[in-house]
Amino acid sequence: MKLSNKKTLLKKEQILSAAIDIVKKRGFSGATMEEIAAELLMTKGSLYYYFKNKSDLMYQCHNFVLSQATEELEEILAKGGPVKEVLRKMIEKHIHYAIEEKETFNLIMEPKRYFNKEQLELVLKLRNYYEGLFDEIIQRGLKSGDFHAEDPAIARMIILGAMNWIQQWYRVDGRLSKEEIVRIYYDYIIKILE
Amino acid sequence: MKLSNKKTLLKKEQILSAAIDIVKKRGFSGATMEEIAAELLMTKGSLYYYFKNKSDLMYQCHNFVLSQATEELEEILAKGGPVKEVLRKMIEKHIHYAIEEKETFNLIMEPKRYFNKEQLELVLKLRNYYEGLFDEIIQRGLKSGDFHAEDPAIARMIILGAMNWIQQWYRVDGRLSKEEIVRIYYDYIIKILE
Amino acid sequence: MKLSNKKTLLKKEQILSAAIDIVKKRGFSGATMEEIAAELLMTKGSLYYYFKNKSDLMYQCHNFVLSQATEELEEILAKGGPVKEVLRKMIEKHIHYAIEEKETFNLIMEPKRYFNKEQLELVLKLRNYYEGLFDEIIQRGLKSGDFHAEDPAIARMIILGAMNWIQQWYRVDGRLSKEEIVRIYYDYIIKILE
Amino acid sequence: MKLSNKKTLLKKEQILSAAIDIVKKRGFSGATMEEIAAELLMTKGSLYYYFKNKSDLMYQCHNFVLSQATEELEEILAKGGPVKEVLRKMIEKHIHYAIEEKETFNLIMEPKRYFNKEQLELVLKLRNYYEGLFDEIIQRGLKSGDFHAEDPAIARMIILGAMNWIQQWYRVDGRLSKEEIVRIYYDYIIKILE
DNA sequence: AATGAATGAGGGTTCATTCAT
DNA sequence: GATGAATGAACCCTCATTCAT
């Protein structure tokens, strides 16, 4: 199997995309190879040509989503600007994902029970990197004097946890619009960091 | 089965306790009736004498832990004292559950994936009540002038989200002990509420 | 266990009655010891004091119903009268059972898969006896010259089969009333026997 | 699974055939997926590649046999010939099915006990159609003057009921051979219709 | 006489995985 | 590259049956 083959890589991505759709709906253990294959008009067996096993496929799904989110945050950070404004954009982006991509974003919250040791290691590395982007902006703020934090790593976790929790209670027809939520969250987060 | 029978109730609790142990380790869908029974030196079938089905048992696990946590928070609230001190105790308790009871207490997991309609309704009711206890202490603080909050409901959600997220990253052998985490979280939460 | 004990016999009959009710609803294999016991506000285990096992209980159910029907036919036969009139009454009675006691009567039609060899033997004997009551009236008719039949045993089976089949299509609000059905069936049966 | 695939269809028929054999012996609820698979030197799980579940398989067994019988009756009717001769062939065929296919063909059993709503609807439709074929030949006889019947619909039911009942008492080693039974039944049925 | 409790053998069903073609 | 087909382990659940109390 030439994995370097362009066609193969394309197909892998298609499978990933379909798998992510299914995982969004059913969760990791709820997703079946059967349903994923069906979405692609393929058969179960074919998936095993591209992925070693379900665990491998699930792992790469997780990777894919996390990487995508990572890239978007990197862009925001790269663009630069006033620290608080950059943070605001990152918050907006993260909350957007948490609300609009709800289930996809849940990927990030799924337990690591499904991955083996090496996969787990890589997953943690990626997670750390993603979370590190928030550390990055916090550090900028600390240097610029905009922020103050006793334990910046914990501050970052508090912020992430708070934002991820939104998907538990957010309703499209709720009291607050997405924009208002972002604004209020931003205000509270600033309180944490000042 | 006589539900009034003390022996029966005791056994039910023993089963619940064993089930909770397994769920902690394996999660709701990873836990098997077989393993739970084995833990008690019973056979699978016997469990069905006490619980209607797996879903029922799982629900009662979640319920049990959540109810217990609820009671403990109620006690803390009932005892009264300086608002911030009461809040600190509540934070301590919640973080304890999030870390030690992990999956069973897991408020992040989407209950609709594991529970049926009636169970779901009860779980959500209980969750709401539990979360309301945090509203209660926040209100006390607002009245006493200890706290200030633009949108107290959102503040409460930020606080809960932040704490629930701990179970995603906490490691027994991590940099920080549980006590230190509690202290740092308390400090940040006070910043949010002041 | 003194089976001769009057109390015991009474209890046995109560159990039988409840069991028949359940079998009516669920069929032989669908009936469970649990449900039968519940109907009597007893527990499963207690049933085994009165009946060796489920097969035994089912067998006695079958016996009970069949015996009851047998008695009623015997009465009609004993009363005597013009052959055709007696036959008409028997037909009326049998059809009444088939329609009104539908499920109970179905007991008689249930397969013998559930019974062991000795039970089977006795069941067949009882069945033969019941069916023999129709042979009896046919014989009377043959002797009196009212009837003629090449193979009376087969004639009797045709008649019984035809009547038992009614419960497959009879509807309370159907085209024909019970009385009309009895009349038409009687006419056709006479055609068979003349 | 490609339903158009001939091999698949063939296999489905093989499974059906084996299932029919088992159902003949054990009845619908007595038949197990295990035993059916074993008969084919397959494993339980494989059956689910071809049939959705046991209920589906059982339904198709009944359907298959009933459809086959229907086709054969249709052929006989299509071929035409003297009314009484056609009826004789139909009786022969029906009795053959009632005896040889026993449980699978079983028209006495209440389909609602084994089939779900949609299956039930289809079964009843097919049964009605099958029974209608007997109406057809009766009508021909009425037109040709061979038969006379006060209520032809009831006559048909009497005839069918009589024949279906045979499977309750027929024994391979009984007094009468299948051929003799057919002849005697034919004679009696003619008496009903003349 | 009765029961609470436990058992264990099965049955239906699902699904990741394999493999010849 | 892909698939049809089969597998087998695992899981949930039911239920007749047993037995100490």
Side-chain angles (χ1 to χ4, degrees):
Chain A
M1 168 168 64
K2 297 183 194 166
L3 280 177
S4 55
N5 189 312
K6 268 190 185 174
K7 240 185 188 170
T8 299
L9 281 176
L10 182 65
K11 195 84 191 177
K12 280 192 78 165
E13 263 185 49
Q14 285 172 359
I15 294 174
L16 272 184
S17 169
I20 288 164
D21 273 4
I22 304 298
V23 172
K24 272 192 230 179
K25 274 187 283 188
R26 316 250 184 248
F28 269 88
S29 47
T32 72
M33 300 298 270
E34 183 82 47
E35 195 174 0
I36 292 166
E39 184 99 345
L40 293 154
L41 306 177
M42 298 170 73
T43 56
K44 263 197 290 196
S46 308
L47 297 182
Y48 287 84
Y49 181 76
Y50 298 97
F51 297 91
K52 230 181 78 203
N53 50 35
K54 186 185 173 185
S55 172
D56 182 31
L57 177 53
M58 292 298 104
Y59 160 69
Q60 299 212 29
C61 281
H62 187 98
N63 246 13
F64 188 84
V65 172
L66 200 45
S67 298
Q68 209 169 20
T70 300
E71 271 177 44
E72 300 208 31
L73 282 201
E74 279 177 331
E75 257 176 59
I76 292 172
L77 267 170
K79 232 181 196 163
V83 170
K84 287 183 179 172
E85 184 51 23
V86 172
L87 176 62
R88 209 196 53 74
K89 279 182 192 158
M90 289 175 74
I91 289 170
E92 189 174 23
K93 181 65 76 184
H94 189 95
I95 289 179
H96 168 80
Y97 264 103
I99 286 177
E100 300 298 340
E101 303 289 326
K102 205 168 186 296
E103 297 293 343
T104 318
F105 215 63
N106 263 342
L107 274 178
I108 304 182
M109 307 170 50
E110 278 282 337
K112 310 150 197 60
R113 188 171 297 120
Y114 309 100
F115 304 129
N116 63 38
K117 228 183 92 187
E118 358 165 21
Q119 291 171 340
L120 195 53
E121 217 170 300
L122 292 166
V123 161
L124 291 181
K125 213 172 270 180
L126 240 180
R127 276 195 189 210
N128 283 338
Y129 183 75
Y130 179 85
E131 293 171 4
L133 297 179
F134 279 90
D135 287 331
E136 166 84 21
I137 192 62
I138 291 172
Q139 287 303 331
R140 281 195 203 170
L142 292 177
K143 269 179 202 149
S144 69
D146 286 307
F147 299 157
H148 302 88
E150 185 195 341
D151 193 320
I154 295 290
R156 177 253 290 163
M157 282 163 175
I158 286 176
I159 293 164
L160 277 173
M163 291 191 298
N164 289 332
W165 184 247
I166 293 174
Q167 50 181 239
Q168 294 292 319
W169 54 265
Y170 177 76
R171 296 287 169 267
V172 179
D173 54 354
R175 175 168 64 90
L176 299 171
S177 71
K178 216 169 68 178
E179 289 71 27
E180 287 171 313
I181 291 172
V182 169
R183 190 181 53 74
I184 299 175
Y185 264 68
Y186 171 73
D187 288 344
Y188 276 117
I189 289 170
I190 289 300
K191 276 180 110 174
I192 290 173
L193 290 173
E194 272 182 347
Chain B
M1 178 168 59
K2 292 251 160 91
L3 282 176
S4 53
N5 191 315
K6 272 192 184 174
K7 247 188 196 166
T8 298
L9 282 176
L10 182 66
K11 191 82 192 184
K12 275 192 87 163
E13 268 185 46
Q14 284 171 3
I15 294 173
L16 226 41
S17 168
I20 287 168
D21 273 1
I22 304 294
V23 172
K24 267 192 238 178
K25 275 190 282 185
R26 313 244 186 257
F28 283 100
S29 48
T32 74
M33 297 300 271
E34 184 84 49
E35 193 176 359
I36 292 166
E39 184 100 345
L40 293 152
L41 305 178
M42 299 170 76
T43 57
K44 248 192 318 192
S46 306
L47 296 182
Y48 289 85
Y49 183 73
Y50 298 93
F51 297 90
K52 229 182 78 204
N53 49 35
K54 183 186 169 183
S55 174
D56 181 31
L57 178 52
M58 294 297 102
Y59 160 69
Q60 299 213 29
C61 281
H62 185 50
N63 206 51
F64 184 84
V65 173
L66 198 46
S67 296
Q68 202 175 291
T70 299
E71 272 177 43
E72 300 197 25
L73 281 201
E74 282 177 331
E75 254 177 62
I76 292 173
L77 267 168
K79 227 180 199 166
V83 170
K84 286 184 182 174
E85 185 48 25
V86 172
L87 176 62
R88 207 196 53 72
K89 279 182 192 156
M90 289 174 74
I91 291 169
E92 186 176 22
K93 188 61 78 185
H94 185 94
I95 290 179
H96 166 78
Y97 270 99
I99 286 176
E100 301 299 341
E101 301 294 334
K102 249 184 160 291
E103 287 294 324
T104 328
F105 181 69
N106 194 350
L107 295 171
I108 294 178
M109 63 102 177
E110 292 193 84
K112 72 183 158 185
R113 193 162 279 153
Y114 306 103
F115 303 133
N116 67 37
K117 228 183 93 186
E118 335 163 44
Q119 292 169 342
L120 193 54
E121 213 171 305
L122 293 168
V123 163
L124 292 182
K125 208 172 276 181
L126 190 49
R127 281 192 184 200
N128 280 338
Y129 181 76
Y130 181 84
E131 292 173 10
L133 297 179
F134 279 90
D135 286 329
E136 166 87 18
I137 192 61
I138 291 173
Q139 288 301 333
R140 281 196 204 170
L142 292 176
K143 269 179 201 150
S144 69
D146 286 305
F147 300 156
H148 301 87
E150 186 196 337
D151 194 321
I154 296 290
R156 179 253 287 164
M157 283 162 176
I158 285 175
I159 292 164
L160 274 172
M163 291 192 297
N164 289 331
W165 189 246
I166 295 174
Q167 57 182 224
Q168 294 295 314
W169 55 264
Y170 175 76
R171 295 290 165 269
V172 179
D173 54 353
R175 175 169 64 91
L176 299 171
S177 71
K178 219 169 67 178
E179 288 73 26
E180 287 169 315
I181 292 173
V182 169
R183 191 183 52 74
I184 300 174
Y185 263 68
Y186 171 72
D187 288 343
Y188 277 118
I189 287 171
I190 289 300
K191 279 179 106 173
I192 290 173
L193 291 174
E194 272 183 348
Chain C
M1 170 167 64
K2 295 182 195 167
L3 281 179
S4 54
N5 189 312
K6 267 190 184 175
K7 240 185 190 170
T8 298
L9 281 176
L10 181 65
K11 195 85 192 178
K12 279 192 82 166
E13 261 186 51
Q14 285 171 359
I15 294 173
L16 273 183
S17 169
I20 287 164
D21 273 3
I22 303 298
V23 171
K24 272 192 226 176
K25 273 188 282 188
R26 315 249 183 250
F28 269 87
S29 47
T32 70
M33 299 298 271
E34 181 82 49
E35 196 174 358
I36 293 166
E39 185 99 345
L40 293 153
L41 305 178
M42 299 170 73
T43 56
K44 263 197 289 196
S46 309
L47 297 182
Y48 287 84
Y49 182 76
Y50 298 94
F51 298 91
K52 225 181 82 206
N53 50 33
K54 186 184 172 185
S55 173
D56 181 32
L57 176 54
M58 292 297 103
Y59 160 70
Q60 300 212 29
C61 280
H62 185 100
N63 245 14
F64 188 84
V65 173
L66 201 45
S67 299
Q68 206 168 26
T70 299
E71 272 177 43
E72 300 210 29
L73 281 201
E74 280 178 330
E75 258 176 58
I76 293 173
L77 268 168
K79 232 179 195 165
V83 171
K84 286 185 183 174
E85 185 49 24
V86 173
L87 175 62
R88 208 196 53 72
K89 278 183 194 155
M90 289 175 74
I91 290 170
E92 190 175 23
K93 181 65 76 185
H94 189 94
I95 288 180
H96 168 80
Y97 265 103
I99 286 177
E100 301 299 340
E101 304 287 328
K102 202 167 187 296
E103 300 292 343
T104 317
F105 214 65
N106 264 342
L107 274 179
I108 304 182
M109 307 170 49
E110 279 284 337
K112 314 148 196 64
R113 189 171 297 118
Y114 310 99
F115 303 131
N116 63 38
K117 228 181 93 186
E118 0 165 19
Q119 290 170 342
L120 196 52
E121 217 169 302
L122 292 166
V123 163
L124 291 181
K125 212 171 273 180
L126 241 180
R127 276 195 188 210
N128 283 338
Y129 183 76
Y130 180 85
E131 293 172 5
L133 298 178
F134 279 89
D135 286 331
E136 166 85 20
I137 191 63
I138 291 172
Q139 287 301 333
R140 285 196 201 166
L142 292 176
K143 269 180 202 147
S144 69
D146 287 305
F147 299 155
H148 302 87
E150 186 196 339
D151 192 320
I154 294 289
R156 176 252 291 163
M157 281 163 178
I158 285 175
I159 293 165
L160 276 173
M163 291 192 297
N164 290 333
W165 185 246
I166 294 174
Q167 52 182 237
Q168 294 294 317
W169 54 265
Y170 175 76
R171 295 288 169 269
V172 178
D173 54 352
R175 177 169 62 91
L176 299 171
S177 70
K178 219 169 65 176
E179 288 70 27
E180 287 170 314
I181 292 173
V182 169
R183 192 184 51 75
I184 299 175
Y185 263 68
Y186 172 72
D187 287 345
Y188 276 118
I189 288 170
I190 290 298
K191 276 180 106 173
I192 291 172
L193 291 174
E194 273 182 347
Chain D
M1 179 168 57
K2 292 252 160 90
L3 282 175
S4 54
N5 192 316
K6 272 191 182 173
K7 246 187 197 163
T8 297
L9 282 177
L10 182 65
K11 190 81 194 187
K12 276 192 84 163
E13 268 186 45
Q14 284 171 3
I15 293 174
L16 227 41
S17 168
I20 287 168
D21 274 2
I22 304 296
V23 173
K24 265 190 240 178
K25 273 189 283 184
R26 313 245 185 256
F28 282 99
S29 48
T32 74
M33 298 300 270
E34 185 85 47
E35 192 175 1
I36 292 166
E39 184 100 344
L40 293 153
L41 304 177
M42 297 171 75
T43 56
K44 247 193 315 189
S46 306
L47 297 181
Y48 289 84
Y49 184 74
Y50 298 94
F51 298 89
K52 230 182 77 205
N53 49 38
K54 184 186 171 184
S55 173
D56 181 31
L57 178 53
M58 293 299 102
Y59 160 69
Q60 299 214 29
C61 281
H62 185 52
N63 207 52
F64 185 86
V65 173
L66 197 48
S67 297
Q68 202 176 288
T70 300
E71 271 177 43
E72 299 196 30
L73 281 201
E74 281 176 330
E75 256 177 61
I76 292 171
L77 268 168
K79 228 179 195 164
V83 169
K84 287 185 181 172
E85 184 51 23
V86 172
L87 177 62
R88 206 197 51 73
K89 279 182 193 156
M90 288 175 72
I91 291 169
E92 187 176 24
K93 187 62 78 184
H94 186 94
I95 290 179
H96 166 79
Y97 271 99
I99 285 176
E100 301 298 339
E101 302 294 332
K102 248 185 163 287
E103 287 295 324
T104 329
F105 181 70
N106 192 349
L107 294 172
I108 295 177
M109 64 104 177
E110 291 193 84
K112 72 182 157 184
R113 194 164 279 158
Y114 306 104
F115 304 134
N116 66 37
K117 227 184 94 186
E118 336 162 42
Q119 292 170 342
L120 193 54
E121 213 172 304
L122 293 166
V123 163
L124 292 181
K125 208 173 274 179
L126 190 49
R127 283 193 182 197
N128 279 339
Y129 182 77
Y130 180 85
E131 292 173 10
L133 297 178
F134 280 89
D135 286 330
E136 167 85 20
I137 191 63
I138 291 172
Q139 287 302 332
R140 281 195 204 171
L142 292 176
K143 268 178 202 150
S144 69
D146 285 305
F147 299 156
H148 301 86
E150 186 195 339
D151 194 321
I154 295 290
R156 180 253 288 163
M157 282 164 178
I158 286 177
I159 293 165
L160 274 173
M163 291 193 296
N164 289 331
W165 189 247
I166 295 174
Q167 55 181 226
Q168 294 293 315
W169 55 265
Y170 176 78
R171 297 289 166 266
V172 180
D173 54 354
R175 175 169 66 90
L176 299 170
S177 71
K178 217 166 70 176
E179 289 71 27
E180 288 170 312
I181 292 171
V182 169
R183 191 182 53 74
I184 300 174
Y185 263 69
Y186 171 74
D187 288 342
Y188 276 118
I189 288 169
I190 289 298
K191 279 180 107 173
I192 291 172
L193 290 174
E194 269 182 348

